[in-house]
């Protein structure tokens, strides 16, 4: 986890132009690196579970009714899986270190069109649940259908996530 000023010292390709802009403005916030999301997915074996879940989907002939139900299941799976205790403690400490352990927060991906920014008021558990809800948006019907159309697969790469004071 990085404060925005720490994240701004990283390459734009890693943290996003949005992160550099927000840090330059002195915005209070933090960046959850893509590696944290990736560790979550790998730690609870989500890639294999999601691959099995979406196995009936044929990119050449997509059954949208089937896909819609599978997307709902995938979102539930992502939201319902648990981070390791160590990861949770790292997240909570990072919220406190970034001064985001009180007051309303907005969670979003840097440099991406926003489907909807998650809004939450800490303590940390609420922010953690909002983070997983944001990650679960990658498994919404439209997002999965777009990946199937663009790449022929359902896979998605982990990406950084911004946590900002609401209104930033």
């Amino acid at each position: 986890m990085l404060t925005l000023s720490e994240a701004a010292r990283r390459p734009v390709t890693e943290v996003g132009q949005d992160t550099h802009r927000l840090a330059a403005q002195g915005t209070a916030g933090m960046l959850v690196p893509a590696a944290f999301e990736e560790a979550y997915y790998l730690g609870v074996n989500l890639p294999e579970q999601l691959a099995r879940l979406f196995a009936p989907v044929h990119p050449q002939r997509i059954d949208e009714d089937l896909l819609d139900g599978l997307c709902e299941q995938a979102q539930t799976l992502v939201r319902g899986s648990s981070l390791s205790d160590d990861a949770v403690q790292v997240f909570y400490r990072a919220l406190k270190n970034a001064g985001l352990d009180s007051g309303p927060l907005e969670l979003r991906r840097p440099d991406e069109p926003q489907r909807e920014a998650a809004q939450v008021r800490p303590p940390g558990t609420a922010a953690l649940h909002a983070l997983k809800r944001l990650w679960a948006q990658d498994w919404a019907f439209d997002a999965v259908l777009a990946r199937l159309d663009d790449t022929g697969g359902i896979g998605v790469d982990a990406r950084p996530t911004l946590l900002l004071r609401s209104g930033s």
Side-chain angles (χ1 to χ4, degrees):
M1 309 292 162
L2 305 166
T3 64
L4 290 183
S5 60
E6 292 169 334
R9 293 192 289 266
R10 301 278 177 103
V12 169
T13 55
E14 183 182 329
V15 299
Q17 184 64 43
D18 203 15
T19 303
H20 281 246
R21 180 185 56 77
L22 290 166
Q25 293 172 349
T27 302
M30 74 179 212
L31 182 107
V32 177
F36 188 78
E37 181 181 5
E38 184 175 352
Y40 168 64
Y41 270 70
L42 295 174
V44 293
N45 200 24
L46 282 173
E48 185 176 320
Q49 292 181 66
L50 291 164
R52 276 197 313 262
L53 179 67
F54 284 98
V57 175
H58 302 287
Q60 309 84 342
R61 201 178 68 235
I62 298 170
D63 177 341
E64 290 189 359
D65 291 330
L66 171 67
L67 183 63
D68 189 39
L70 295 176
C71 289
E72 288 178 20
Q73 290 177 50
Q75 288 182 303
T76 299
L77 188 61
V78 171
R79 284 190 312 266
S81 297
S82 298
L83 279 109
S84 72
D85 289 341
D86 289 342
V88 170
Q89 293 308 313
V90 166
F91 181 76
Y92 290 166
R93 278 193 305 275
L95 278 176
K96 184 174 171 113
N97 291 342
L100 300 175
D101 53 342
S102 64
L105 300 177
E106 177 182 310
L107 288 78
R108 61 185 173 88
R109 303 284 192 171
D111 300 337
E112 290 188 10
Q114 298 305 306
R115 290 179 225 140
E116 63 183 70
Q119 301 259 334
V120 66
R121 181 176 291 279
T125 303
L128 189 59
H129 288 217
L131 181 65
K132 291 189 334 183
R133 284 192 308 271
L134 182 70
W135 291 345
Q137 288 179 10
D138 288 334
W139 299 98
F141 176 80
D142 290 341
V144 173
L145 187 60
R147 287 196 302 276
L148 282 165
D149 287 343
D150 294 346
T151 68
I154 59 148
V156 63
D157 291 329
R159 296 173 324 282
T161 304
L162 288 169
L163 281 82
L164 309 166
R165 287 248 178 262
S166 267
S168 296

